[in-house]
């Protein structure tokens, strides 16, 4: 089980980024959260099997939203992430 925290920057707010991130997470069996930040970035916490998390990270880097564009992604392993049973959009 791998747990990561990402801060994503670029055109990631107002383009359906959180919604499409949840779609990708649900398809890959990833648990966690996605939320907008006041600085215009998006924070994602994700947990799953190593291979699934790697696939998830790749899809986030490529922007799951067709109208979005990721220009920077800060990725950190986060072993202290709370256990979750779903992937949720935080408003």
């Amino acid at each position: 089980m791998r747990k990561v925290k990402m801060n994503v920057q670029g055109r990631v707010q107002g383009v359906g980024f959180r919604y499409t991130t949840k779609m990708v997470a649900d398809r890959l069996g990833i648990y966690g959260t996605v939320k907008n930040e006041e600085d215009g970035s998006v924070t994602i916490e994700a947990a799953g099997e190593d291979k699934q998390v790697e696939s998830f990270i790749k899809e986030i880097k490529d922007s799951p939203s067709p109208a979005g564009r990721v220009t920077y992604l800060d990725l950190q392993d986060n072993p202290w992430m709370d256990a979750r049973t779903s992937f949720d959009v935080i408003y």
Side-chain angles (χ1 to χ4, degrees):
M1 177 74 70
R2 183 171 179 198
K3 299 176 181 179
V4 297
K5 183 174 184 176
M6 296 179 263
N7 182 265
V8 185
Q9 298 174 15
R11 190 177 338 139
V12 294
Q13 288 193 15
V15 294
F17 193 88
R18 288 178 300 167
Y19 174 73
T20 53
T21 295
K22 178 177 174 30
M23 289 175 45
V24 171
D26 289 346
R27 179 171 43 82
L28 293 173
I30 298 292
Y31 303 110
T33 60
V34 59
K35 68 177 181 175
N36 284 347
E37 299 294 348
E38 289 185 20
D39 66 1
S41 68
V42 170
T43 296
I44 302 167
E45 290 189 330
E49 297 302 320
D50 290 351
K51 188 174 180 178
Q52 293 163 309
V53 171
E54 286 302 319
S55 295
F56 181 72
I57 293 167
K58 181 184 181 321
E59 290 199 41
I60 297 303
K61 285 180 180 177
D62 293 339
S63 182
S65 170
R69 182 172 38 90
V70 173
T71 57
Y72 178 78
L73 184 141
D74 178 51
L75 174 67
Q76 300 173 7
D77 282 304
N78 184 18
W80 306 279
M81 183 180 134
D82 292 337
R84 302 191 66 88
T85 58
S86 63
F87 193 92
D88 300 306
V89 177
I90 297 177
Y91 296 95

